Amino acid sequence: MVAVVLLTACSSKPPVPDWQMNAHASAQKAVDAYLGGNTRVERLEWDRARAEVARTGRPDLLARLELMRCAALVASLVPGPCDRFEALRADAAEAEIAYADYLAGRLEPSRVPLLPEPQRKVAVTGDAAALAAVQDPLSRLVAAGVLFQTGRANPAVMAAATDTASAQGWRRPLMAWLVLQQQRAESAGDAEAAAALRRRIAIVAQGAPLR
């Protein structure tokens, strides 16, 4: 959602300004690099995207960009505040503020209608069926990450998130969700499930180290 809004912000039918195309391309590369486990490329592309958006002098657009990064972190079970967005909160639009609060697991129910459509039902019901109905893989992972932060990630949610990351070949969130499942299996005393998850983790780890 944020990527689409960023690409279309301030646009009037062609031509699309260069900064929009450049920012969108770099932001997408940054997200892909992060999910794939390549932090070096991720940082370079975020810097490029920020530089392009900064050309507009608009903090609201920069806030949207920062939410893309924070959403990828939530999808990968990385805790912590969205500091770069918070620095821009005063100039952010209401929809972006609601989305940031959603990512942080503190969205008030009355503000759910401000969320991107794919996230709304998951935010209300918190069940695996609503999660499975989210068509976009990254949006599904983000929703699963929010459910985890709010203590609603049951085994079906964790399995759906793991399957989504696996199908996309997104090593960073896949490793995070597998480790979470392994810990839950060990806590439950399910040695067989824990061993199977360790084998999957070992396969993911055979690739280039997450960096």
Side-chain angles (χ1 to χ4, degrees), residues 1-2 63-75 78-82 85-86 89 95-107 115-116 119 123 138-139 141-150:
M1 180 279 296
V2 179
R64 290 175 185 174
L65 180 68
E66 296 302 342
L67 284 178
M68 289 182 64
R69 177 178 176 274
C70 292
L73 294 176
V74 169
V78 177
C82 189
F85 172 83
E86 293 302 324
R89 176 181 280 262
E96 276 68 58
I97 293 173
Y99 190 59
D101 290 344
Y102 171 68
L103 293 178
R106 59 171 186 262
L107 182 70
L115 292 178
Q119 306 288 343
L138 183 53
S139 294
L141 273 184
V142 170
V146 172
L147 291 178
F148 172 72
Q149 290 195 88
T150 55

Side-chain angles (χ1 to χ4, degrees), residues 108-126:
E108 297 176 2
S110 63
R111 300 175 69 213
V112 168
L114 291 172
L115 292 178
E117 192 279 330
Q119 306 288 343
R120 293 173 196 165
K121 189 171 183 179
V122 181
V124 172
T125 67

Side-chain angles (χ1 to χ4, degrees), residues 1 10 21-22 27 40 49 63 73 77 108 111 120 126-127 137 142 163 170 175 200:
M1 180 279 296
C10 301
M21 300 298 295
N22 295 340
R40 184 185 65 82
L73 294 176
L77 302 182
E108 297 176 2
R111 300 175 69 213
R120 293 173 196 165
D127 61 33
V142 170
D163 290 346
W170 288 336
M175 181 69 82
R200 291 193 67 182

